Amino acid sequence: MEHDTPTVCFERATGTDLDALCLAATAAFEYDIHYGAPGVGGPPGYNTTSWHRELMARAAAYYKVVEDGRILGGFTVFGMGSGLYILGTIYLVPEAQNRGIGTRAMRFALSRYPQARRWRLDTPAWSQRNHHFCEKLGFRKVAVEVHGEGDESFVYELTSSR
């Protein structure tokens, strides 16, 4: 277990966390409607434990964000080879947002993989808040991807200075 502050820590998620992760993701993604999301929702399946179980199985690591014993959110890391790592799903319940926890979670993730030469993530094109967050951490927008029915995502990358 890695502690970031006396009350907030980042731990590897386990199968016993699935229900709490699902509840946190549902609250986080559905709250995005207040920040410009075109509708309520998130990635397909975000509100099912099977989706979180699949992420846990596929990711190099699925971390939970815990404060005083309560799961506030989570994030995933995928190792793609050749020094490329992807920060997958990143989410926090609404009451944990705008408290610096997301920044600390990202810095924690980046520090856990010193072998990374390049980090990548994507975020919806409509999410100005996420764009600012990524850029504040040093990520640069490198591409635009179009999914399904014209949904656009911005791809961000961070090159390690190591």
Side-chain angles (χ1 to χ4, degrees):
M1 174 169 60
E2 297 290 330
H3 288 279
D4 188 67
T5 70
T7 59
V8 175
C9 61
F10 311 108
E11 305 170 3
R12 292 291 283 260
T14 67
T16 60
D17 300 318
L18 288 170
D19 288 336
L21 291 167
C22 185
L23 288 172
T26 299
F29 287 118
E30 292 182 359
Y31 195 72
D32 279 346
I33 192 78
H34 299 287
Y35 290 101
V40 173
Y46 72 96
N47 57 354
T48 66
T49 56
S50 60
W51 185 78
H52 292 275
R53 184 180 297 109
E54 175 68 20
L55 271 179
M56 214 173 276
R58 287 189 10 230
Y62 192 147
Y63 292 96
K64 59 187 174 181
V65 179
V66 181
E67 181 178 49
D68 296 330
R70 177 179 174 224
I71 293 178
L72 300 179
F75 57 93
T76 56
V77 175
F78 294 86
M80 306 306 290
S82 300
L84 172 63
Y85 284 78
I86 294 178
L87 287 164
T89 307
I90 304 164
Y91 60 92
L92 287 171
V93 295
E95 59 270 23
Q97 296 175 15
N98 302 311
R99 292 178 43 205
I101 296 171
T103 298
R104 292 189 308 241
M106 292 283 278
R107 289 187 177 138
F108 169 84
L110 298 175
S111 74
R112 298 297 290 174
Y113 300 88
Q115 69 276 23
R117 287 183 283 180
R118 192 169 43 125
W119 287 91
R120 180 177 284 177
L121 62 83
D122 67 76
T123 189
W126 55 260
S127 184
Q128 294 296 317
R129 179 176 67 141
N130 287 359
H131 306 164
H132 172 74
F133 178 67
C134 294
E135 291 163 8
K136 174 178 81 170
L137 292 167
F139 283 78
R140 290 183 314 109
K141 183 169 51 170
V142 296
V144 177
E145 293 180 345
V146 178
H147 311 281
E149 311 235 341
D151 293 333
E152 287 187 345
S153 290
F154 291 169
V155 178
Y156 282 88
E157 285 192 358
L158 176 70
T159 304
S160 176
S161 59
R162 299 180 208 274

